[in-house]
Amino acid sequence: KELAVTRYDQPTMKKCWEFLDLTSRSFARVIQELEGDLARTVCIFYLVLRALDTVEDDMTIPNSTKLPLLKSLHEKLYEPGWTFHESKEKDKIVLEQFDAIQYEFSELKPEYQAVIADICKKMGAGMADFAALATPAQPVAEVDSISDYDLYCHYVAGLVGEGLSGLFAASGKERSFIADQLTLSNSMGLLLQKTNIYRDIHEDVIEGRGFWPKAIWAKYGFNSMKELIDPAREKEAMWAASEMVLDALRHTTDALDYMTLLKCQSVFNFVAIPAVMAIATLERTFMNPKILRENVKIRKGETVRLILKATNPRDVAYIFRDYARLIHKKVDKEDPNLLKLSIACGKIEQWA
Ligand code: PS7
Ligand code: MN
Ligand code: MN
Ligand code: MN
Ligand code: MN
Ligand code: MN
């Protein structure tokens, strides 16, 4: 029975599981452990969005091709045989073999198809809006205000949260009202996305990108994102970094609220594991100047401990509280965000 719903026996689905392994370090395992047909449904959802993100990230695709493609990828979900061979990105396989993903999409329940196509349409349009702001001098446009930052993160991650909640409800594994929790679903996505954007500062700047909002770094005297990784300006860069963590912490209590609404264990694990990894990453990277020079990751042993412990809302809240305390302890007395960080950590403490 399990074999039938996961379709490991189908050659196109077998390919899709391989694409998932190739393109996702963090989600492959938790997706495979979802119950019933949710596993292959979320796998297909992931691959469709991975295809969009591959187009978005590929700086060798000119906007004249990129923008129409981002806006129309949702239509390709209903075009058997469509593929795209002009990407140079690491994950280009999902575009080159989009026909396999499309075939498996067409085999999903219509309710699932509707959620995935709707999110693909909205995310593609949002990515295109931001990509349209790019210029030759600034191939990836700067994110200006905090509300621009929230909007960008809504497009690339908040919508993923909304879509996942829609799929959980449609599967019957979760109660139908979860699909209407747009604010909490959005917050789950923003917590993960903002942690990723904050942690990836070095890699993104080296590759000519950078999504930290100007409203944050400009306050500390910087004129561009590139200057943030200048060793001579480490002190100011760490104040900007501290404000990035403060901003990400805004979404933690919503994330905890969201998790209390779940009832299916495999769905809970799927949601909670990335969330605890995010707060652990925020703690590991908080006031850690190494992030300006390299990609800082949490230790393997810590990851294992988190996966074993994050099985219910209470233990997840304790994990959040413990990391909030560690962050609070690391706040520098001269940090301009000292008071706000104390309040943010206190809110998590109170929730738990
Ligand atoms: C469908 C699981 C659970 C209510 C490809 C999971 C890239 C952080 O920097 O690969 O490109 O390497 O490290 C994921 C909410 C989205 C938000 C967004 C779809 C949680 C395209 C994750 C993944 C909602 C845009 C991957 C948002 O990080 O990034 C599925 C609830 C894709 C979730 C991108 C980022 C995800 C991301 P990078 P990563
Ligand atoms: Mn990644
Ligand atoms: Mn991207
Ligand atoms: Mn990406
Ligand atoms: Mn703007
Ligand atoms: Mn990233």
Side-chain angles (χ1 to χ4, degrees):
K1 185 176 156 273
E2 200 60 10
L3 216 85
V5 287
T6 48
R7 294 169 61 88
Y8 288 114
D9 50 332
Q10 292 287 315
T12 42
M13 195 59 221
K14 202 159 176 267
K15 270 192 181 181
C16 289
W17 289 116
E18 283 163 17
F19 299 158
L20 180 67
D21 264 335
L22 286 170
T23 60
S24 174
R25 293 139 295 280
S26 32
F27 291 108
R29 203 182 130 182
V30 282
I31 291 177
Q32 271 159 307
E33 285 174 17
L34 283 164
E35 275 162 56
D37 61 359
L38 262 184
R40 74 181 159 98
T41 303
V42 175
C43 173
I44 299 306
F45 187 35
Y46 179 93
L47 294 173
V48 168
L49 302 185
R50 179 50 67 201
L52 264 185
D53 187 51
T54 302
V55 175
E56 188 204 28
D57 291 358
D58 194 330
M59 288 306 136
T60 71
I61 305 175
N63 266 1
S64 56
T65 305
K66 182 182 283 191
L67 305 192
L69 187 50
L70 287 172
K71 287 189 266 197
S72 66
L73 196 83
H74 68 102
E75 294 165 2
K76 316 296 185 210
L77 290 170
Y78 299 95
E79 272 180 40
W82 182 84
T83 57
F84 182 78
H85 296 273
E86 285 149 63
S87 176
K88 302 274 188 301
E89 281 289 294
K90 174 177 65 54
D91 296 333
K92 64 183 181 196
I93 191 162
V94 296
L95 292 165
E96 292 177 347
Q97 301 198 41
F98 195 80
D99 49 347
I101 299 167
Q102 189 283 330
Y103 177 76
E104 286 301 326
F105 172 84
S106 75
E107 291 283 300
L108 296 175
K109 284 200 294 203
E111 298 93 313
Y112 288 150
Q113 290 189 24
V115 171
I116 295 173
D118 174 55
I119 298 300
C120 180
K121 182 177 183 179
K122 290 174 178 159
M123 186 184 291
M127 283 175 164
D129 276 355
F130 274 85
L133 303 172
T135 61
Q138 194 113 48
V140 177
E142 278 170 1
V143 176
D144 291 328
S145 63
I146 300 284
S147 57
D148 287 345
Y149 183 45
D150 283 354
L151 182 62
Y152 179 71
C153 292
H154 166 72
Y155 289 141
V156 301
L159 286 171
V160 184
E162 284 184 23
L164 286 168
S165 294
L167 297 176
F168 300 157
S171 74
K173 303 268 175 211
E174 292 296 343
R175 289 165 286 198
S176 59
F177 73 80
I178 199 81
D180 306 320
Q181 299 300 318
L182 301 187
T183 303
L184 299 184
S185 302
N186 186 58
S187 298
M188 282 295 320
L190 263 58
L191 174 63
L192 305 191
Q193 185 65 26
K194 288 181 171 186
T195 302
N196 182 292
I197 286 176
Y198 161 66
R199 185 205 58 192
D200 289 351
I201 167 84
H202 180 261
E203 157 189 325
D204 284 342
V205 167
I206 295 296
E207 287 171 27
R209 300 190 293 255
F211 301 97
W212 290 22
K214 188 172 182 177
I216 289 185
W217 50 257
K219 268 199 229 170
Y220 304 95
F222 295 96
N223 292 303
S224 74
M225 283 237 18
K226 274 190 235 81
E227 297 175 8
L228 281 164
I229 62 172
D230 175 356
R233 301 173 72 175
E234 185 180 293
K235 193 168 180 166
E236 293 74 24
M238 289 322 288
W239 297 150
S242 155
E243 190 165 339
M244 288 294 291
V245 172
L246 171 65
D247 177 73
L249 289 174
R250 273 202 288 136
H251 308 291
T252 48
T253 52
D254 272 3
L256 290 168
D257 286 341
Y258 182 85
M259 287 183 268
T260 64
L261 304 178
L262 301 171
K263 57 169 199 169
C264 169
Q265 187 68 55
S266 68
V267 170
F268 185 85
N269 295 349
F270 168 80
V271 175
I273 291 170
V276 295
M277 301 276 285
I279 186 108
T281 300
L282 290 175
E283 190 279 325
R284 185 85 216 266
T285 52
F286 180 67
M287 290 311 278
N288 184 347
K290 268 194 193 157
I291 63 160
L292 305 172
R293 300 186 285 267
E294 63 192 72
N295 192 288
V296 179
K297 287 208 163 100
I298 48 180
R299 287 183 223 90
K300 183 88 185 140
E302 194 169 7
T303 305
V304 171
R305 184 184 70 85
L306 290 172
I307 292 173
L308 292 174
K309 194 140 197 275
T311 56
N312 61 78
R314 190 186 319 128
D315 283 316
V316 169
Y318 290 152
I319 292 170
F320 272 50
R321 180 200 61 193
D322 292 346
Y323 283 115
R325 283 181 184 162
L326 291 171
I327 291 171
H328 195 194
K329 267 198 243 165
K330 281 209 267 175
V331 179
D332 189 294
K333 280 182 282 303
E334 288 171 49
D335 191 325
N337 301 298
L338 169 92
L339 182 61
K340 286 180 176 166
L341 280 161
S342 303
I343 294 169
C345 293
K347 276 192 183 153
I348 298 172
E349 179 99 36
Q350 266 193 310
W351 197 102

